[in-house]
Amino acid sequence: MGGRLKIALLLTPALVVIGVLFAGGLVVAFVQSLGYVPAIGMTDLTLNAYREILSDEDFFDSLVLTLYVSGVSTGVATVLAVVAALALRRSSGRVSAVVFQLPITIPHLVAAVGIALIVGQTGLGARLAALLGLVGEPGDFPALLYDEYSVGIILTYVWKEVPFIALVVLASLRGVASELEDVARTLGAGAWQRFWYVVFPVISPSVVAASLLVFAFTFGAFEVPYLLGKSYPTILPVMAYNEYRDIDLSARPTAMAINVLIALITGAVAALYLRLARNLGRRG
Amino acid sequence: MSARLELENVCHRYGGDEPALENLSLAVEPGELVALLGPSGCGKTTALKVVAGLLRPTAGDVRVGGLSVVGTPPERREAAMVFQKPLLFPHMSVAQNVGFGLRMRGTRKEEAGRRAEEALRRVQMDGFAGRSPEELSGGQQQRVALARALVTEPRLLLLDEPFSALDANLREEMRELVLRLQREGGHTTVFVTHDQEEAVILAGRIALIFDGRLQMYDRPEAFYDRPATREVARFFGATNFIEGLAKNGSAHTPLGDLKLGRPAPPGALTLTIRPEAVRLEGGENSFRARVISASYLGTQVHYELQTAGTALRAALPPHVRLAVGDEVTARLPAESLWVLK
């Protein structure tokens, strides 16, 4: 019992911060989404904000765009990360440390600016392409920022999240997966058979867990789409931000309702992740 | 079918974490069980991995059935290996684990399932086919790993300390199982262990390896009766070493002139004798000694005897009761004295 109390006490500072800032914020957001904003005299609890959002085509355009960006970013990052991890697993720790850990330390904001400088129509990539004669002049370079397919946003996410997924996968590849692969080899399994029947099933829980985290993050993240996204439709967090900044304070419940819906969706993904993580733990 | 295995001057160097091997040469006859024995880090597991193909020798040749396999990847060597850990595939049932090798060779599902069940019966794990590996105890998992290796009817069966993680009772049970399976199946088997007792019980021949070098390769009893060197003798529990000078079929030692069973080349030599071979009687090669310690071991009593210039250990039946301080006459029978190289 004493041990448990000690753990609880040690966790308290972290829990207070999380509790006040995160849970507190969530509660305030939820209450405001129900139309309770006493500062401007709104005190009746209603579901009007939700009703309004769910009947608004703009919201669904944003939802589809958000799912598209998160889904494509996560999918592309996952595939590239698994391939990279497989390629790097026999190399020394130092190579993978440099290749992978460097991008992880760079903030998303900086990464977004960096990508913009490289792939923008006045950027390095466009000028290089013009120089090599691939396009007539830099302005003919395909629009990859503020564009219909959100290429700039996806590129930024892929660049940032590949290392994260790859490091998680690498850890499980270097652990029991390589020993199981040796067993499979002596039992007569060729390279593809080993990958398909042994390595992939063994690493897949960690692949899924890591990519779910990436999905949840990209679904709720604001800064990259804000910098690199087109103005309509916007990604959900950007839409919420725009409603929040509306000079008409009565738009506040709408902003908060969008936030609550984002939280619900990422919460569902997180719950899925926890279940997978538990299964993974049981196996290990 | 089981095959003859030959290692010829196999070397393994610059291998990162792997201990080195220096010119290892030995042959295992078809159906024979050979133990690679030695202290940890001596290179015995390296040797096994070279045979399996998981490591490439830096020099030398490995032949299976007379043909070199150095260029053959492990998956085409038909050398099934059982590791220290069971390493069952966690996402497959017990039956799928056992059937894995057959499925990889293209055996149909029903056939693989049937043969997996049969293999599970042979390791007394029938009834566990549908279980998941995590539901099994360590010993059960290792039985399944054994079945998984045997079901493919490998040309070579390679066992890398498969029981070292199990407790003593279970280990004994598993040894009997391996002996029975090996007799029934007639697999050419190489068994790595650091446990001298395990090697003696299981193996037809033992290859003793120190520091990547083969010290002695012979039947188990030879390691007790005719050890090649002092180190080999010591590894097998010998403690009696007598320095002397050979001349005319006997040795001049601090115990007096000892008659030898076999002639030795003239010059300095070291003699050894098993504690069980020391007799308490007069006659040829006898001398006076004083008991300086006694330890009772149930079926035997171990005595330390102090004589002129040296101490000897004697293991005697418990009905011979000697007390510390007793003066006795001890004899070293000539036929039990062995000259070390």
Side-chain angles (χ1 to χ4, degrees):
Chain A
M1 269 334 240
R4 228 177 242 194
L5 186 69
K6 197 172 153 194
I7 291 170
L9 281 175
L10 286 171
L11 280 177
T12 304
L15 287 177
V16 166
V17 172
I18 294 172
V20 171
L21 292 182
F22 181 73
L26 209 59
V27 168
V28 171
F30 182 64
V31 170
Q32 289 194 357
S33 75
L34 296 176
Y36 186 81
V37 191
I40 54 165
M42 292 169 63
T43 52
D44 294 338
L45 297 186
T46 71
L47 287 174
N48 285 343
Y50 291 95
R51 220 168 278 139
E52 191 188 318
I53 291 170
L54 295 177
S55 60
D56 182 3
E57 254 176 58
D58 289 0
F59 173 79
F60 285 99
D61 287 346
S62 279
L63 180 62
V64 168
L65 180 70
T66 313
L67 287 171
Y68 158 76
V69 168
S70 302
V72 172
S73 305
T74 306
V76 172
T78 303
V79 171
L80 291 181
V82 170
V83 171
L86 286 171
L88 274 172
R89 68 170 152 159
R90 306 244 184 255
S91 71
S92 72
R94 200 181 298 172
V95 174
S96 54
V98 173
V99 173
F100 284 147
Q101 284 168 14
L102 198 69
I104 287 182
T105 61
I106 291 173
H108 276 86
L109 212 57
V110 177
V113 173
I115 293 283
L117 289 176
I118 291 170
V119 306
Q121 276 165 326
T122 56
L124 215 57
R127 280 185 233 174
L128 202 63
L131 202 67
L132 294 174
L134 297 174
V135 293
E137 50 182 291
D140 296 337
F141 195 68
L144 302 178
L145 302 178
Y146 328 112
D147 63 309
E148 194 170 354
Y149 300 105
S150 305
V151 176
I153 304 173
I154 292 171
L155 276 179
T156 310
Y157 281 150
V158 168
W159 188 77
K160 274 290 294 172
E161 316 311 341
V162 162
F164 167 72
I165 302 176
L167 277 181
V168 174
V169 175
L170 208 52
S172 90
L173 271 178
R174 284 189 175 154
V176 73
S178 76
E179 295 178 315
L180 290 174
E181 211 189 341
D182 277 352
V183 173
R185 287 199 91 172
T186 71
L187 292 171
W192 269 109
Q193 289 177 318
R194 295 198 298 275
F195 178 75
W196 191 244
Y197 294 108
V198 178
V199 175
F200 189 69
V202 168
I203 65 169
S204 61
S206 43
V207 173
V208 173
S211 51
L212 277 182
L213 277 185
V214 165
F215 183 86
F217 171 78
T218 52
F219 193 86
F222 162 78
E223 65 267 51
V224 178
Y226 185 73
L227 282 175
L228 303 183
K230 58 187 166 171
S231 50
Y232 180 87
T234 63
I235 243 133
L236 280 182
V238 176
M239 186 186 191
Y241 178 72
N242 289 339
E243 295 285 349
Y244 181 82
R245 287 199 17 169
D246 200 314
I247 43 168
D248 180 4
L249 280 180
S250 62
R252 185 61 62 85
T254 315
M256 291 309 172
I258 297 172
N259 278 329
V260 169
L261 290 174
I262 293 172
L264 281 179
I265 295 171
T266 49
V269 173
L272 203 61
Y273 161 75
L274 284 177
R275 267 188 66 165
L276 280 166
R278 227 188 352 257
N279 287 341
L280 186 70
R282 227 189 11 234
R283 274 185 182 185
Chain B
M1 268 333 317
S2 22
R4 180 182 155 94
L5 167 69
E6 291 159 280
L7 279 77
E8 193 183 292
N9 292 322
V10 168
C11 297
H12 189 267
R13 295 194 203 103
Y14 328 110
D17 305 336
E18 313 286 344
L21 281 181
E22 293 289 342
N23 290 313
L24 181 65
S25 297
L26 56 87
V28 182
E29 299 305 322
E32 193 183 15
L33 196 163
V34 162
L36 299 184
L37 175 66
S40 65
C42 74
K44 55 194 191 297
T45 297
T46 308
L48 201 68
K49 285 187 170 171
V50 166
V51 173
L54 297 173
L55 290 177
R56 222 188 145 84
T58 41
D61 199 11
V62 178
R63 285 188 294 270
V64 179
L67 298 173
S68 174
V69 294
V70 168
T72 311
E75 58 265 33
R76 288 199 273 113
R77 287 195 186 188
E78 296 182 55
M81 185 154 165
V82 177
F83 295 76
Q84 200 162 351
K85 292 188 273 178
L87 293 174
L88 299 182
F89 304 121
H91 53 286
M92 298 182 196
S93 71
V94 165
Q96 284 171 327
N97 262 282
V98 177
F100 180 84
L102 296 173
R103 297 283 288 141
M104 295 303 109
R105 286 167 174 73
T107 308
R108 280 183 312 110
K109 207 174 194 158
E110 301 75 32
E111 168 82 0
R114 197 183 52 72
R115 283 172 62 184
E117 299 248 0
E118 197 181 290
L120 283 170
R121 221 175 0 260
R122 270 155 63 194
V123 298
Q124 289 134 28
M125 287 293 290
D126 35 341
F128 288 85
R131 300 280 189 93
S132 146
E134 63 186 359
E135 296 173 62
L136 307 185
S137 71
Q140 290 173 328
Q141 290 193 22
Q142 202 54 287
R143 280 169 189 267
V144 174
L146 208 52
R148 179 174 63 176
L150 285 171
V151 78
T152 61
E153 294 297 336
R155 283 149 62 88
L156 299 174
L157 179 60
L158 310 175
L159 307 170
D160 184 12
E161 308 217 24
F163 315 136
S164 60
L166 307 178
D167 60 44
N169 285 338
L170 213 50
R171 205 151 47 204
E172 209 164 301
E173 214 176 285
M174 293 295 277
R175 283 175 194 159
E176 279 163 28
L177 179 68
V178 165
L179 271 181
R180 187 167 57 75
L181 290 172
Q182 206 266 338
R183 257 199 312 271
E184 286 172 7
H187 299 98
T188 307
T189 306
V190 183
F191 189 104
V192 161
T193 181
H194 64 269
D195 182 345
Q196 158 228 334
E197 186 192 332
E198 190 161 84
V200 169
I201 294 172
L202 285 175
R205 278 193 290 173
I206 296 173
L208 182 64
I209 301 173
F210 293 155
D211 293 327
R213 289 186 174 81
L214 184 65
Q215 305 293 313
M216 185 168 165
Y217 184 39
D218 210 330
R219 302 182 53 74
E221 56 270 24
F223 287 81
Y224 294 94
D225 300 340
R226 309 185 293 278
T229 63
R230 185 190 278 248
E231 287 70 34
V232 171
R234 196 173 276 138
F235 193 82
F236 275 77
T239 51
N240 295 333
F241 299 106
I242 307 156
E243 309 294 339
L245 214 57
K247 55 176 186 200
N248 313 331
S250 67
H252 186 68
T253 75
L255 298 172
D257 283 347
L258 296 178
K259 188 122 179 53
L260 298 177
R262 289 166 217 76
L269 50 60
T270 304
L271 298 171
T272 185
I273 184 166
R274 300 291 308 171
E276 310 85 66
V278 177
R279 299 279 153 76
L280 286 189
E281 58 194 25
E284 188 181 69
N285 291 351
S286 67
F287 51 90
R288 296 291 291 166
R290 199 160 56 84
V291 177
I292 55 172
S293 78
S295 29
Y296 178 73
L297 297 175
T299 55
Q300 278 187 333
V301 186
H302 281 189
Y303 295 104
E304 214 173 328
L305 305 177
Q306 181 69 49
T307 69
T310 183
L312 288 178
R313 201 176 286 267
L316 298 167
H319 63 81
V320 183
R321 298 312 287 261
L322 300 175
V324 173
D326 285 359
E327 290 281 336
V328 295
T329 301
R331 189 169 83 85
L332 307 180
E335 66 275 13
S336 302
L337 277 173
W338 174 252
V339 181
L340 294 169
K341 277 171 210 151

